[in-house]
Amino acid sequence: MKDVAEAAGVALKTVSRVVNEEPGVNPATAGRVTAAIERLGYRRNESARVLRRGRTATIGLVIEDVADPFYSGLSRAVEDVALRHGSLVLSGSSGEDPRRERELILAFCSRRVDGLVIVPAGTDHDYLRPELDAGIAAVFADRPGGLEADTVLCDNAGGAHAGVSHLIRHGHRRIAFIGDSASIFTAGERLHGYRRALAEAGLPFDPSLVATGPAEQAGPALNRMLSGDAPPTAVFTGNGRITVAVLRTGHRLALVGFDDFELADLLVPGVTVVAQDPVRLGRTAAELLFRRLSGDHGTPERVELPTRLIPRGSGELPG
Amino acid sequence: MKDVAEAAGVALKTVSRVVNEEPGVNPATAGRVTAAIERLGYRRNESARVLRRGRTATIGLVIEDVADPFYSGLSRAVEDVALRHGSLVLSGSSGEDPRRERELILAFCSRRVDGLVIVPAGTDHDYLRPELDAGIAAVFADRPGGLEADTVLCDNAGGAHAGVSHLIRHGHRRIAFIGDSASIFTAGERLHGYRRALAEAGLPFDPSLVATGPAEQAGPALNRMLSGDAPPTAVFTGNGRITVAVLRTGHRLALVGFDDFELADLLVPGVTVVAQDPVRLGRTAAELLFRRLSGDHGTPERVELPTRLIPRGSGELPG
DNA sequence: TGGCGCACTGACAACGTTGTCAACAGCGAT
DNA sequence: ATCGCTGTTGACAACGTTGTCAGTGCGCCA
């Protein structure tokens, strides 16, 4: 910038004015400056600008894994909203590891992001408190975080309830639940929905029909249930990866899965799912964030998005 | 930092030393400083640090669309390599729009990223020249960019050649090619591979069996070919989205697709594909970038990664 | 002619760090 | 007692911006 000022024969401040399109610069002068900028290939140093002004026009996004289609859809939505607000996105995958999540978040904060969209892996976010006090906004998405802040969730319990009820309506009495580790919020909620649906239909809850854990264990768990003495006739799966794992076992039994996925309609039979809308989730969270950034300091909000049952065949197999 | 210095009763510089774990600070003093840091919830301002030191420990990643599984795999790989080198990733989707790509790249540059991994949508990258001269490293991934720089590609022509040859070996003589717009580098290369395979087998090249364009047009294009008077008996598809679009048309004819995708093995018949490795692509590009950042100033490299034919049934249907 | 306001421009400090260099005390060697 | 050395600490400038405030020249009105 100093070089540009020199080249154009004006003061530093005048260049700054031109770069920021501030009013009150003689068009002729502005022209000389613009020419000098062009000639020297000058580009404003954003770090210095941030240092002076406080805002970075950058937000941070922490998700579990970009490579998971659910989160990549969410990512894209957040990115689009950010771009519309003139911001960029620093993103990172926590891999469901609270330590890595913490490191990412703190790294984002020390780079002075304006705000954060977090799909929390951990449950303790006290370390965020000083940052929030310092003016960084935060929105939790998909799961609630460890402190009072804006949160956007899906109706996990309601969706699971709808999916399991659907199986019950088709005559099933022994329905397995295979889901994520119970420690994950969404998994717990979905299990609640499952139990509520059973209870409403007057069916007993049988712990031997419930398996929770990472997706790799889903197949073996189902195999064990099926070789037991009171095997299930239907399965409700707790997330997309687990649904696929169950499909790979090759058993042909009634199935409803939480999360929609590409090609679910092309399999035979088509896979009935309870669909969430990751794009809407991301969009809602990001918009809420930018509302906060533009000065809305009301009490934290909690938004719950609906789910949608999509029958495709696998959930309509008779019991 | 000033507050911390005051609270600990030391000079600014001493706090800086402690924060940066520089040697030569009395352990007792360091203890007082650490305590003050803890007490005040201090965190170093990275913008100021960048301003002073020049390195941001941040790289930029420009891809076509995070929501596409191919690119989300690549993203995750880049992110992991970056994290291993203590860097964060600013990422953005260009949506195959050269203007948006340019905006993203320049925005990254003005935030002084150390380097860029770019999946180029445009072909003109002259605007990058001053940035490269200013020391920002750049690696093109998946496609070559508009200037001399490190590039990591897949063996597009070879992969297409292998896929088409596979169909020919199974007796097909009229093989359609349905791919991306020919203006996209990878699409052009794959078309070359297709033509080379035909030529080697002594088969004629029939333009009426070739369709290029966005994925939405793939289904209609195939339908048109099949209702013509010399319909194809097999199809080679130029990318994952187009493969899926062709599958949705419901025609049962021999098919080999470029790009592997989840569930390809669960469809009936399984979908034979030419698999690229997006994770390896991302990893290779990012590692090359960090090699440059750590001082390797050799001439630009061009790496070509192999592809792999995975027979699953659809490509082995008789002609 | 003097005074006033307007349009434009510039000098300077400050943002929060870190690199450079100097200062200081304590200590063993001369 | 002096010197030089080591270990520790601090003062100060600089990084590239922008906000504040103070000019400067010019036209216009009284």
Side-chain angles (χ1 to χ4, degrees), chain B residues 175-235:
Chain B
I175 302 172
F177 177 94
I178 306 187
D180 247 324
S181 306
S183 62
I184 296 178
F185 171 81
T186 49
E189 288 292 298
R190 292 168 197 178
L191 187 53
H192 278 146
Y194 164 82
R195 296 190 66 155
R196 188 154 57 79
L198 292 185
E200 283 177 11
L203 295 175
F205 172 73
D206 179 351
S208 77
L209 290 181
V210 172
T212 56
E216 306 83 60
Q217 295 173 18
L222 177 60
N223 289 335
R224 267 196 307 280
M225 290 180 192
L226 287 173
S227 56
D229 29 68
T233 62
V235 193

Side-chain angles (χ1 to χ4, degrees), chain A residues 182-256:
Chain A
S183 62
I184 296 178
F185 171 81
T186 50
E189 289 291 297
R190 292 169 197 177
L191 188 53
H192 278 145
Y194 164 82
R195 295 189 66 156
R196 189 154 57 80
L198 292 185
E200 284 177 10
L203 296 175
F205 172 73
D206 179 352
S208 76
L209 291 181
V210 173
T212 57
E216 306 83 62
Q217 295 173 18
L222 177 60
N223 289 335
R224 267 196 307 281
M225 290 180 192
L226 288 173
S227 55
D229 28 69
T233 63
V235 192
F236 182 80
T237 48
N239 71 39
R241 291 189 309 285
I242 291 177
T243 306
V244 171
V246 163
L247 286 170
R248 285 195 197 288
T249 62
H251 299 296
R252 188 181 169 89
L253 74 175
L255 169 67
V256 174

Side-chain angles (χ1 to χ4, degrees), chain A residues 18-88:
Chain A
V18 173
V19 169
N20 291 294
E21 301 178 5
E22 285 174 32
V25 177
N26 188 311
T29 316
R32 287 209 323 279
V33 172
T34 315
I37 287 176
E38 200 65 36
R39 187 147 38 85
L40 299 179
Y42 163 80
R43 188 129 34 237
R44 177 170 60 198
N45 182 324
E46 213 66 22
S47 301
R49 179 167 219 249
V50 164
L51 181 59
R52 195 67 176 90
R53 315 225 318 179
R55 277 271 171 112
T56 54
T58 305
I59 66 172
L61 170 66
V62 182
I63 56 190
E64 206 239 298
D65 180 8
V66 232
D68 181 321
F70 181 80
Y71 295 110
S72 64
L74 187 152
S75 281
R76 178 64 199 264
V78 170
E79 194 189 291
D80 286 343
V81 173
L83 203 71
R84 232 182 2 260
H85 285 83
S87 284
L88 293 183

Side-chain angles (χ1 to χ4, degrees), chain B:
Chain B
M1 185 143 155
K2 209 173 56 182
D3 300 343
V4 174
E6 202 160 326
V10 299
L12 215 54
K13 180 64 209 186
T14 302
V15 179
S16 170
R17 274 192 261 261
V18 172
V19 170
N20 291 294
E21 301 178 5
E22 286 173 32
V25 177
N26 187 311
T29 316
R32 286 206 326 277
V33 172
T34 314
I37 287 176
E38 199 65 36
R39 188 147 38 84
L40 299 178
Y42 163 81
R43 187 127 37 235
R44 178 170 61 197
N45 182 323
E46 214 65 22
S47 302
R49 179 166 220 247
V50 164
L51 181 59
R52 194 66 176 86
R53 316 226 317 179
R55 279 271 172 114
T56 54
T58 305
I59 66 172
L61 170 66
V62 182
I63 57 189
E64 208 239 297
D65 180 8
V66 230
D68 181 321
F70 181 81
Y71 295 111
S72 63
L74 188 153
S75 281
R76 179 62 200 262
V78 170
E79 194 190 293
D80 286 343
V81 173
L83 203 70
R84 235 187 353 266
H85 286 83
S87 284
L88 294 184
V89 181
L90 267 170
S91 58
S93 302
S94 70
E96 213 65 272
D97 173 357
R99 269 213 338 268
R100 183 162 166 178
E101 167 179 286
R102 186 191 147 115
E103 274 172 30
L104 280 169
I105 290 180
L106 292 182
F108 290 169
C109 288
S110 72
R111 277 173 183 71
R112 294 294 187 271
V113 292
D114 298 330
L116 291 162
V117 173
I118 306 172
V119 176
T123 52
D124 175 19
H125 295 96
D126 280 342
Y127 58 87
L128 253 179
R129 185 86 56 188
E131 312 296 342
L132 299 189
D133 293 342
I136 292 181
V139 176
F140 290 109
D142 193 45
R143 313 164 184 175
L147 43 77
E148 195 70 9
D150 293 310
T151 308
V152 183
L153 304 173
C154 281
D155 179 12
N156 291 289
H161 177 269
V164 174
S165 299
H166 186 73
L167 288 167
I168 295 173
R169 266 199 306 283
H170 284 82
H172 296 277
R173 293 292 168 267
R174 295 189 55 76
I175 302 172
F177 177 94
I178 306 187
D180 247 324
S181 306
S183 62
I184 296 178
F185 171 81
T186 49
E189 288 292 298
R190 292 168 197 178
L191 187 53
H192 278 146
Y194 164 82
R195 296 190 66 155
R196 188 154 57 79
L198 292 185
E200 283 177 11
L203 295 175
F205 172 73
D206 179 351
S208 77
L209 290 181
V210 172
T212 56
E216 306 83 60
Q217 295 173 18
L222 177 60
N223 289 335
R224 267 196 307 280
M225 290 180 192
L226 287 173
S227 56
D229 29 68
T233 62
V235 193
F236 182 79
T237 48
N239 71 37
R241 289 189 310 284
I242 291 176
T243 306
V244 171
V246 163
L247 287 170
R248 285 194 197 288
T249 62
H251 298 296
R252 188 183 169 89
L253 75 175
L255 170 67
V256 174
F258 212 106
D259 282 348
D260 197 7
F261 54 95
E262 176 145 37
L263 300 184
D265 57 326
L266 284 187
L267 294 175
V268 182
V271 180
T272 298
V273 299
V274 175
Q276 310 183 67
D277 187 343
V279 170
R280 186 166 164 200
L281 186 62
R283 189 168 6 99
T284 308
E287 280 168 354
L288 192 47
L289 182 68
F290 280 103
R291 231 182 60 209
R292 294 306 185 185
L293 290 181
S294 62
D296 175 350
H297 295 301
T299 55
E301 272 187 38
R302 188 184 179 107
V303 180
E304 196 168 89
L305 301 178
T307 56
R308 192 163 53 97
L309 182 78
I310 307 178
R312 294 201 180 104
S314 74
E316 294 75 50
L317 294 176

